[in-house]
Amino acid sequence: MPNVLTVSGSPSSRSRTSSLVRHVGALLAAENHDVRHVAVRDLPAEALLAGDASHPAIREVIETIEWADALVVGTPVYKAAYSGLLKTLLDLLPQFALAGKTVLPLATGGSTAHVLAIDYALRPVLTSLGTDNVLRGWFVLDRHVSTEAEGAGAVAAEAADGVAETASRLIDSLAASEGPRVAASRRGLARAV
Ligand SMILES: Cc1cc2nc3c(=O)[nH]c(=O)nc-3n(C[C@H](O)[C@H](O)[C@H](O)COP(=O)(O)O)c2cc1C
C-alpha cells in the first residue's frame, strides 16, 4: 500500500493544522496506507534557521520524503500565505525532493478571505520541488478544527465531509498511479538485469 508522510507546518503547540493533518492521516491509515508524521516545530530550530540540511534530524526527514509516495502538507495561513516555519523546512530540501510524489496541500485559517493562499502561495513552491501532481488542496476554518481530539472528532461536522472527500481524492490519485509506478519499477528492473 502507498506510503504517506503528513507534515504540519504550524509553530503552535496546540495546533489546529496539526489536528487536521493528523485527522487526514487517520483517514488514510484506515484505508491501509502506511502513514508517518512530522511536525516542523519538533525539528531543531538551529538547523532550520541556519539552513543546515546535514543535521541528522533534517536528513531523517529527507529520507522519509524519499520513502513516501505522497505527502500531505498542512500549514496555517499566516499573513495571507503559508507559515514561515514550513518554508524553513522546504528551503532545506533537495531541489527535486518531491519529484514523482503526489502532494496534497491543506490549510487552516481564521477567515475564508485567504482560502486561495494554498494556490497562489504554497502550490508554486511545492511544484518547484519537482512534483507534477499537486492535488486540489483544502482549506478549513480554524473554528471547525479542535485541538482536543486527534483523529476522529478533530474536524467539526460542518467541515468533515469536505475533508473526507479531499482524503478520498488522494487515495484515488495514489490508486490511479499504482499501475504506472509498478510499470516504472519493472522498467527499472529490466534495465538493471
Ligand atoms: C501570526 C498569525 C497570522 C495569521 N494570519 C492569518 C491570515 O492572514 N488569514 C487567516 O485567515 N488567518 C490568519 N491567522 C489565523 C490562523 O491561520 C488560524 O488560526 C490557524 O488555524 C492557526 O493554526 P494553528 O492552530 O495550527 O497554529 C493568523 C494567525 C496568526 C497567529
Side-chain angles (χ1 to χ4, degrees):
M1 288 309 263
N3 298 332
V4 181
L5 175 63
T6 60
V7 179
S8 170
S10 171
S12 307
S13 55
R14 291 163 56 85
S15 163
R16 291 186 162 81
T17 307
S18 190
S19 286
L20 172 65
V21 163
R22 292 283 205 168
H23 174 80
V24 169
L27 295 176
L28 298 171
E31 295 294 325
N32 296 319
H33 292 54
D34 195 349
V35 180
R36 297 184 195 171
H37 180 72
V38 64
V40 185
R41 78 182 301 277
D42 293 338
L43 298 174
E46 68 277 13
L48 294 171
L49 293 180
D52 180 7
S54 67
H55 190 289
I58 305 298
R59 284 220 311 270
E60 194 180 333
V61 173
I62 292 171
E63 282 166 18
T64 311
I65 291 173
E66 286 166 6
W67 162 88
D69 301 301
L71 283 83
V72 176
V73 179
T75 180
V77 176
Y78 277 1
K79 312 293 188 204
Y82 54 85
S83 71
L85 181 66
L86 178 60
K87 188 66 159 61
T88 62
L89 176 64
L90 297 178
D91 286 350
L92 282 180
L93 300 183
Q95 188 177 1
F96 298 115
L98 300 184
K101 317 285 178 192
T102 301
V103 183
L104 174 63
L106 298 175
T108 67
S111 144
T112 52
H114 294 138
V115 66
L116 287 177
I118 290 177
D119 287 318
Y120 64 66
L122 183 53
R123 176 180 295 274
V125 181
L126 298 171
T127 303
S128 82
L129 287 164
T131 173
D132 291 323
N133 196 15
V134 183
L135 302 181
R136 181 153 57 83
W138 199 250
F139 173 94
V140 181
L141 283 168
D142 54 8
R143 60 179 173 274
H144 290 161
V145 187
S146 158
T147 55
E148 303 300 326
E150 293 251 312
V155 175
E158 296 95 315
D161 285 353
V163 172
E165 279 166 29
T166 300
S168 294
R169 278 205 308 280
L170 175 56
I171 291 167
D172 291 348
S173 177
L174 285 168
S177 63
E178 184 72 8
R181 257 208 320 273
V182 170
S185 86
R186 283 203 186 114
R187 278 201 301 280
L189 209 60
R191 271 199 296 275
V193 291

